[in-house]
């Protein structure tokens, strides 16, 4: 089971995932700037260090620079978080989650049909 990560750590992971699963520190800082994040160098290094200790990332040295490499894919992270959410909020009962989404009109009838087609194909 993966450790929880903060929303700030998730921002860094998304940058790395969107870059094919690895990124240099300079690239991460550049992308943060594009997104309007004005985080200081020490803040980013602390967050990256936490992600390393939580086993979300590893580093490869390229000369004097660190290349940060994701050890967890975005899909793996999403699946883990989805399972945790369903377990915590719905006691592991996916049917109750889907029921809540339907009651709140969060899923359109077209989306539900698409899910049914996916599920039918998945079970073949």
């Amino acid at each position: 089971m993966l450790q929880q990560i903060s929303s700030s750590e998730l921002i860094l992971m998304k940058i790395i995932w969107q870059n094919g699963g690895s990124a240099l520190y300079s690239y991460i800082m550049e992308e943060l700037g594009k997104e309007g994040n004005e985080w200081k160098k020490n803040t980013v290094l602390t967050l990256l260090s936490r992600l390393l200790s939580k086993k979300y990332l590893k580093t490869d040295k390229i000369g004097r620079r660190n290349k940060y490499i994701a050890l967890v894919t975005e899909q793996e992270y999403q699946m883990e978080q989805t399972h945790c959410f369903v377990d915590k909020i719905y006691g592991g009962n996916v049917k109750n989650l889907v029921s809540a989404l339907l009651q709140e009109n969060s899923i359109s009838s077209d989306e539900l049909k698409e899910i049914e087609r996916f599920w039918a194909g998945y079970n073949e």
Side-chain angles (χ1 to χ4, degrees):
M1 184 163 156
L2 297 172
Q3 290 187 47
Q4 283 293 117
I5 61 174
S6 70
S7 55
S8 297
E9 291 166 340
L10 182 56
I11 289 169
L12 297 183
M13 288 303 299
K14 285 185 175 186
I15 289 170
I16 293 167
W17 286 325
Q18 290 167 0
N19 195 49
S22 68
L24 293 171
Y25 170 81
S26 57
Y27 176 82
I28 294 168
M29 291 303 288
E30 183 181 312
E31 291 300 304
L32 285 171
K34 287 179 187 175
E35 295 174 6
N37 283 315
E38 298 295 326
W39 292 345
K40 304 279 187 238
K41 176 181 180 177
N42 285 346
T43 301
V44 175
L45 290 173
T46 298
L47 293 170
L48 289 168
S49 176
R50 288 181 189 163
L51 289 165
L52 288 164
S53 68
K54 291 178 181 179
K55 306 287 188 230
Y56 277 82
L57 295 175
K58 71 174 186 172
T59 58
D60 272 354
K61 283 277 190 206
I62 300 174
R64 295 176 53 200
R65 302 182 306 169
N66 279 334
K67 181 177 186 179
Y68 294 91
I69 301 164
L71 295 173
V72 175
T73 67
E74 188 170 17
Q75 184 178 14
E76 289 169 334
Y77 177 76
Q78 290 170 342
M79 292 297 293
E80 179 78 22
Q81 291 305 301
T82 300
H83 287 294
C84 288
F85 174 77
V86 171
D87 286 345
K88 186 179 354 181
I89 305 300
Y90 295 99
N93 189 326
V94 176
K95 184 180 75 113
N96 288 346
L97 167 63
V98 173
S99 176
L101 292 171
L102 288 170
Q103 289 174 13
E104 292 296 318
N105 293 322
S106 296
I107 296 177
S108 69
S109 59
D110 287 343
E111 289 172 320
L112 186 58
K113 287 175 187 168
E114 185 179 331
I115 291 167
E116 288 170 348
R117 282 192 300 275
F118 170 80
W119 187 249
Y122 187 78
N123 284 324
E124 289 178 352

